[in-house]
Amino acid sequence: MKKKVFDRLVERELKLFKNYVLDDDEFMIEFLSNMSIDFDNYITHDTIIGDYFGMHFYPFWHNPNQEDFTGIIDSYMLEYMVCTMYVHDPEKKFRYMLVGASSLFLAILIFGDDRERDTMFYSIVNLIKEYITMEYSINYQSTTLQEAFLLYDIQTNSKNHDQWTPYITVSLTPLYQDCMDSILSDDEERVNTLLSDMLDYHFKQSNVDNFVRNEFTFPSQKVFPTEILALIHYRHTQGKSIDFIDDEVLSVFVPYIKAGNFRPSPAVEKARNDMYGLLGIR
């Protein structure tokens, strides 16, 4: 995909950050001064995640750099913290929607460590159980949700395979299945084509205005294709080259996946570790 085509999506979804100045955002400044999370304030974290993502992704997209890439990682870690707190909160002070969870799970499979991957798996299974109790549909079984479970299986030697399979009742779409089957192929031309096809699908879905049927609803889901980047990351971790990826959009992220510098900022790392202490997560 040509970058100028994707530029239009970025500008549409993140136009508020074109001239963003942190010094003018008192709410964000206050949040940055204390990111600690507990059962009383995690709703605040949820309301600010989108802005945190936007204020880092927009400048990264126009001038790729590690500082803003770390900010993107931070935004996913903050959302991961919100999701984790929600699952552990007996009062359920607001409704954390499954619509965002599969993309978050894929991001954690890229950026997280073993503890984060397992915690996110626990959270998403519990969200699914909650949806079933409420008689809600479990969406994205044929795309992002199942892909996340399959990649989690690969990374964890299928240790929790039997815990998620009862909730996936359909097959992957042909495109997703082809990508899963071929991502480690030595046929780089085929892999390149499939990844570009996935981005075309992602772009098309990101322009569908349907909250329920669309895997990519929120701006972060639309402009940061975790379902594709997770596959690229998986290929890289298996010692396969990703240097051949020449899509003008996906190639922007390749150097950062290769570098593997996924550690969040010190402030977010501290808030996350404090959360682990609060919840007794080891």
Side-chain angles (χ1 to χ4, degrees), residues 28 32 35 48-56 71 74-75 78:
M28 181 65 74
L32 294 176
M35 294 186 181
I48 210 165
I49 290 168
D51 285 353
Y52 197 103
F53 175 86
M55 74 184 221
H56 287 290
D74 281 352
S75 72
L78 289 168

Side-chain angles (χ1 to χ4, degrees), residues 96-162:
Y96 186 89
M97 302 298 290
L98 188 59
V99 67
S102 55
S103 292
L104 172 60
F105 193 8
L106 288 162
I108 294 302
L109 292 174
I110 302 170
F111 303 134
D113 58 20
D114 290 345
R115 176 166 51 176
E116 273 124 31
R117 293 167 190 150
D118 286 343
T119 301
M120 188 65 219
F121 174 82
Y122 169 85
S123 294
I124 203 163
V125 168
N126 277 272
L127 287 172
I128 290 172
K129 290 178 179 178
E130 184 177 281
Y131 263 49
I132 291 173
T133 299
M134 295 185 295
E135 299 184 349
Y136 289 177
S137 298
I138 307 304
N139 297 306
Y140 326 129
Q141 292 186 45
S142 63
T143 54
T144 54
L145 181 60
Q146 187 172 170
E147 179 198 354
F149 281 134
L150 290 170
L151 288 175
Y152 175 77
D153 268 5
I154 291 170
Q155 293 185 12
T156 61
N157 198 28
S158 299
K159 67 178 182 180
N160 291 320
H161 180 76
D162 292 341

Side-chain angles (χ1 to χ4, degrees), residues 82-96:
V82 170
C83 181
T84 304
M85 291 296 294
Y86 173 81
V87 169
H88 286 79
D89 183 5
E91 297 183 9
K92 297 290 187 287
K93 298 180 180 66
F94 78 116
R95 181 68 62 198
Y96 186 89

Side-chain angles (χ1 to χ4, degrees), residues 206-259:
S206 294
N207 286 282
V208 173
D209 187 17
N210 188 314
F211 186 80
V212 175
R213 298 176 184 271
N214 184 5
E215 308 98 313
F216 317 117
T217 298
F218 305 116
S220 60
Q221 294 175 309
K222 294 181 179 184
V223 303
F224 196 72
T226 56
E227 79 285 3
I228 306 174
L229 300 181
L231 289 171
I232 295 172
H233 172 259
Y234 168 52
R235 180 180 171 89
H236 176 64
T237 62
Q238 300 308 300
K240 299 283 188 175
S241 174
I242 57 176
D243 292 327
F244 62 87
I245 297 173
D246 59 6
D247 183 281
E248 291 184 12
V249 175
L250 299 178
S251 61
V252 171
F253 304 105
V254 167
Y256 298 91
I257 292 175
K258 288 181 64 178

